[in-house]
């Protein structure tokens, strides 16, 4: 399924009834929001409508709750992402984690009681588990960064499969998840930390322009790294198939 107003679609996740799919849609204006597509009625519903970045939704296996990562947290302007839960029926959103770190890639347990996710709150990406009320703790202590966990249950035992970077390459790994995680954190939204919103600095103006394709399929990427002397190294590239010449 494709839509002209959403050139990029990612992170699809099925509803428990197998009729709907929640996903992230990146609009032509550059905004990433959550949507639900009903595969039977072909109806598309927009769940969020803002300038925050929504990512990696996961639909609860027992109800209409979708957990996702977003920079709508009060620390989003610093690059942080926290976890949120949205009710598909009411579109009410509530925080699940809160802090100056990146929480990402959530996935529900098979019973819908807990969520495994990756977080760099201890310095490097590792796996954590949180319940529906925001109480949780660290599930693994891995030397390599762990990302994109998926929870599965086998013979009554819980595991996560995930990707990790080790020995200069990415691999797929499996780790057993503890039946009980001693809670080391709980949801505590600091009321003294103001919410943030996208603003145009200095009261300036901006002009929105349609992107003009150079290629039939454009792709851009960039990377940042520091040399040993502290010099910031950057690289960027674009690739694709050249578009057909336009007639004037």
């Amino acid at each position: 399924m494709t839509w002209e107003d959403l050139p990029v679609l990612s992170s699809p996740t099925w509803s428990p009834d197998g009729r709907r799919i929640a996903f992230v849609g990146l609009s032509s204006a550059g905004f990433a929001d959550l949507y639900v597509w009903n595969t039977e009625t072909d109806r598309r519903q927009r769940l969020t409508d803002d300038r925050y970045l929504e990512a990696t939704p996961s639909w609860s296996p027992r109800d209409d709750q979708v957990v996702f990562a977003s920079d709508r947290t009060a620390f989003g302007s610093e690059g942080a992402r926290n976890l949120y839960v949205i009710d598909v029926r009411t579109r009410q959103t509530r925080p699940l984690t809160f802090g100056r770190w990146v929480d990402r890639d959530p996935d529900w347990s098979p019973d819908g009681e807990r969520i495994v996710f990756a977080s760099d709150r201890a310095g490097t990406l590792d796996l954590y588990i949180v319940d529906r009320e925001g109480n949780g703790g660290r599930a693994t202590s891995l030397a390599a960064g762990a990302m994109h966990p998926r929870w599965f249950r086998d013979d009554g035992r819980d595991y996560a499969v995930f990707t990790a970077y080790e020995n200069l390459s990415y691999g797929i790994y499996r780790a057993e998840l503890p039946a009980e995680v001693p809670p080391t954190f709980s949801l505590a939204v600091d009321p003294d930390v103001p919410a943030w919103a996208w603003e145009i600095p200095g009261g300036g103006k901006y002009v929105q322009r349609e992107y003009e394709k150079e290629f039939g399929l454009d792709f851009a990427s960039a990377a940042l790294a520091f040399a040993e002397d502290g010099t910031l190294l950057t690289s960027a590239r674009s690739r694709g198939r050249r578009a057909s010449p336009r007639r004037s």
Side-chain angles (χ1 to χ4, degrees):
M1 188 65 187
T2 60
W3 293 276
E4 290 186 0
D5 60 329
L6 298 177
V8 179
L9 310 175
S10 64
S11 304
T13 175
W14 282 100
S15 63
D17 59 17
R19 296 182 300 172
R20 295 164 294 165
I21 299 174
F23 62 93
V24 175
L26 181 67
S27 71
S28 55
F31 304 133
D33 285 301
L34 296 180
Y35 296 82
V36 169
W37 174 46
N38 189 311
T39 61
E40 294 185 349
T41 65
D42 199 26
R43 177 175 176 267
R44 191 186 78 187
Q45 175 190 5
R46 189 170 187 169
L47 296 183
T48 62
D49 186 2
D50 50 54
R51 297 193 176 188
Y52 299 114
L53 173 67
E54 266 71 90
T56 58
S58 177
W59 202 314
S60 167
R62 76 178 197 190
D63 52 30
D64 276 348
Q65 304 290 305
V66 173
V67 62
F68 63 99
S70 176
D71 65 356
R72 66 180 58 227
T73 174
F75 310 106
S77 61
E78 304 172 14
R81 295 186 195 179
N82 292 158
L83 301 186
Y84 291 82
V85 175
I86 187 170
D87 189 301
V88 173
R89 294 166 298 176
T90 65
R91 295 195 292 180
Q92 293 295 312
T93 302
R94 61 181 177 87
L96 195 64
T97 63
F98 182 80
R100 283 186 170 90
W101 43 69
V102 174
D103 298 330
R104 49 179 283 183
D105 310 329
D107 191 55
W108 290 92
S109 61
D111 58 11
E113 291 292 335
R114 299 185 293 167
I115 295 165
V116 63
F117 64 99
S119 177
D120 67 355
R121 60 183 63 201
T124 58
L125 285 171
D126 215 331
L127 300 186
Y128 293 77
I129 292 177
V130 65
D131 64 19
R132 285 175 169 256
E133 304 305 319
N135 305 304
R138 192 169 184 169
T140 60
S141 295
L142 304 169
M147 297 158 284
H148 311 293
R150 290 296 176 264
W151 196 316
F152 75 98
R153 185 165 291 163
D154 183 29
D155 196 22
R157 304 175 75 172
D158 289 320
Y159 300 88
V161 290
F162 57 94
T163 57
Y165 187 75
E166 191 173 28
N167 297 326
L168 302 179
S169 65
Y170 285 96
I172 298 177
Y173 298 84
R174 183 181 78 167
E176 184 171 359
L177 298 175
E180 297 290 337
V181 176
T184 57
F185 63 84
S186 60
L187 178 62
V189 177
D190 189 344
D192 295 329
V193 179
W196 81 289
W198 286 98
E199 297 179 355
I200 302 174
K205 298 180 180 180
Y206 72 94
V207 176
Q208 183 170 316
R209 299 178 58 185
E210 291 294 327
Y211 173 68
E212 295 183 3
K213 289 185 177 181
E214 180 182 0
F215 299 98
L217 176 63
D218 283 6
F219 173 80
S221 64
L224 302 175
F226 284 96
E228 293 182 358
D229 62 358
T231 302
L232 177 63
L233 307 176
T234 66
S235 66
R237 61 181 178 178
S238 63
R239 62 174 66 173
R241 184 183 69 253
R242 289 225 174 252
S244 300
R246 295 184 177 180
R247 296 181 181 272
S248 56

